Amino acid sequence: MGRVIALANQKGGVGKTTSAVNLAASLGLLGKKVLLVDLDPQGSATSSLGVSKKSLRFSAADLLISGCSFENARLRTRFKGLDLLPANVSLAATEFDLIETDGGEAALRRALSTVRDDYDLIILDCPPSLGMLTVNAMVASDGVIIPMQCEFFALEGLVQLMTTIKQLRRRYNPRLAIVGILATMFNNKMELATDVLAELKRHYPDRVFETTITRHERLSEAPGFGMPVYYHDPESPGAAEYMLVAKELLERI
């Protein structure tokens, strides 16, 4: 049975989607069969793989609410070992539909239960909130990766997210584990960034990924070309960093 890993952080702009897309693509390059699930109504993960959100016939919203089959909603991508469950703005209304649905917090878990055996890993890209879509991701997952910038307020947000994970583990999903904290958009020339990273490692010594994701031009521009950074520029630092994170993830799980 494939492992389901959510990338979650209630704060936006922390490199969550960039990490989900590039981690999923790197795992595919390592020979794993991977499904990337876009749970963000902005559909950034979908666009980052070169898929037009306007052209979607079915999306994650249809799978969660309308009874659409997984086969109809899933897209095969042009990237090795990588499938996509895409999203667009229609997913925004799904948040409210799930609240009003009996057992709505487990809709994604039910939807993925029939295809978990088809994949080695299923990567969930959560929206930047702790709403019903993120709750669905946590209930469906075996583990959570928390991408975060090394800045002061990120530490406060991390404490809140840890509390939420504990509550969801106790109420809905006792197997939910924190796989790791991934430092993103790191600038080692900034004293604050290095101080925050040091604090993270001091408080969570076994949970911080050894590899940090640094700021690089190729990593930022790859989504505009509709491809993960490894396919955009395999020699770039971002491609190497996410490959190292993918290898460490496989060791951790």
Side-chain angles (χ1 to χ4, degrees), residues 35-39 57-75 84-88 90-91 94 98 104 106-115 122 124 133 136:
L35 172 67
L36 175 62
V37 179
D38 192 346
L39 290 175
R57 183 181 178 191
F58 300 107
S59 69
D62 300 293
L63 182 69
L64 291 172
I65 293 297
S66 304
C68 168
S69 72
F70 180 83
E71 283 299 326
N72 283 336
R74 172 180 55 188
L75 298 178
L84 171 69
L85 182 60
N88 55 24
S90 64
L91 196 58
T94 303
L98 290 171
L108 182 62
R109 182 167 65 187
R110 292 191 295 269
L112 294 179
S113 64
T114 59
V115 297
I122 299 175
L124 312 180
L133 290 170
N136 258 262

Side-chain angles (χ1 to χ4, degrees), residues 27-211:
L27 290 165
L29 286 162
L30 290 172
K32 302 301 179 182
K33 182 64 176 172
V34 184
L35 172 67
L36 175 62
V37 179
D38 192 346
L39 290 175
D40 190 339
Q42 296 180 71
S44 297
T46 299
S47 299
S48 295
L49 294 182
V51 176
S52 170
K53 293 177 285 188
K54 294 182 179 179
S55 68
L56 295 178
R57 183 181 178 191
F58 300 107
S59 69
D62 300 293
L63 182 69
L64 291 172
I65 293 297
S66 304
C68 168
S69 72
F70 180 83
E71 283 299 326
N72 283 336
R74 172 180 55 188
L75 298 178
R76 308 288 188 183
T77 77
R78 56 197 172 103
F79 309 111
K80 181 182 176 182
L82 183 58
D83 289 348
L84 171 69
L85 182 60
N88 55 24
V89 70
S90 64
L91 196 58
T94 303
E95 187 104 33
F96 301 100
D97 293 334
L98 290 171
I99 292 173
E100 297 177 354
T101 301
D102 186 34
E105 74 284 342
L108 182 62
R109 182 167 65 187
R110 292 191 295 269
L112 294 179
S113 64
T114 59
V115 297
R116 284 188 62 153
D117 288 341
D118 297 341
Y119 296 96
D120 297 304
L121 291 109
I122 299 175
I123 304 296
L124 312 180
D125 181 34
C126 300
S129 70
L130 295 177
M132 197 61 166
L133 290 170
T134 299
V135 168
N136 258 262
M138 300 286 193
V139 172
S141 294
D142 301 299
V144 184
I145 293 175
I146 304 172
M148 61 174 288
Q149 279 183 274
C150 291
E151 57 182 33
F152 175 75
F153 290 111
L155 293 173
E156 292 184 345
L158 179 60
V159 173
Q160 181 184 357
L161 183 56
M162 292 287 196
T163 300
T164 300
I165 291 172
K166 288 180 182 178
Q167 293 171 341
L168 290 170
R169 184 188 297 131
R170 184 173 61 249
R171 186 169 183 180
Y172 297 117
N173 184 5
R175 73 177 185 278
L176 183 64
I178 297 173
V179 176
I181 300 168
L182 178 62
T184 61
M185 307 167 76
F186 184 71
N187 184 347
N188 59 11
K189 295 180 181 179
M190 292 181 61
E191 185 176 353
L192 176 61
T194 55
D195 287 347
V196 171
L197 182 58
E199 280 293 294
L200 278 175
K201 290 182 176 180
R202 185 168 70 88
H203 288 287
Y204 307 101
D206 299 324
R207 289 181 172 170
V208 180
F209 277 85
E210 292 181 11
T211 302

